[in-house]
Amino acid sequence: MSDSRAVSVSILKGGVGKSTIAVNLSERLAAKENNVLFIDIDPNGHASIGLGFKSEYRAGDTLGPVILEDQPPEDSIHSTEWGFDVLPSSTELETVEDQLRSVSFGDVKIRQEIVEPLLDNRYDYIVMDSPAYLGKLSDNSLVASQNVIVPLTPGAESI
């Protein structure tokens, strides 16, 4: 049995450090000599932009073609100076969210098109930054990983 893992960092609230946790988890796993892919599934793209992929985010041709058009994920993956690879978010993800509603098996596209082909074969870990809302993209993230980190802060608003 493999020790490889896919994990989603997910919570249905913005501004709680979800993207920061996902990026730092990716960096720490890579620092321990693991091959790590960070996937920014959040349409706001804060993690992608913060990692220096602003032009890729604005180009709008990263995750959508991989999920919906059978484009190989390797075509959209970029290396970082922090030792992990990134499949950045893009402006098109809100449209992709809508399109996934009418696609057969729309909840398993990220698992089929990215996680299954790349986990074990190329990457030891895949870390996903999920959207902060319910929808097809967040469903895809959770189905693809089956491992979840939920950032919570102590206080009534986290309950």
Side-chain angles (χ1 to χ4, degrees), residues 62-105:
T62 57
L63 274 171
V66 173
I67 297 170
L68 297 171
E69 300 169 17
D70 296 324
Q71 174 182 304
E74 294 86 356
D75 292 352
S76 297
I77 293 173
H78 302 274
S79 297
T80 70
E81 62 187 86
W82 299 282
F84 60 91
D85 292 345
V86 174
L87 207 167
S89 179
S90 66
T91 55
E92 100 240 338
L93 283 184
E94 289 180 10
T95 303
V96 170
E97 176 94 43
D98 292 336
Q99 292 172 326
L100 282 170
R101 290 186 184 102
S102 61
V103 171
S104 295
F105 303 104

Side-chain angles (χ1 to χ4, degrees), residues 109-127:
K109 296 300 280 183
I110 290 174
R111 182 172 193 81
Q112 290 174 336
E113 303 299 331
I114 303 170
V115 173
E116 287 177 353
L118 297 178
L119 192 62
D120 289 329
N121 297 322
R122 182 167 173 189
Y123 294 102
D124 302 312
Y125 292 93
I126 296 177
V127 178

Side-chain angles (χ1 to χ4, degrees), residues 129-145:
D129 183 13
S130 301
Y133 59 84
L134 285 175
K136 288 294 183 180
L137 289 171
S138 58
D139 291 350
N140 261 273
S141 176
L142 296 173
V143 168
S145 67

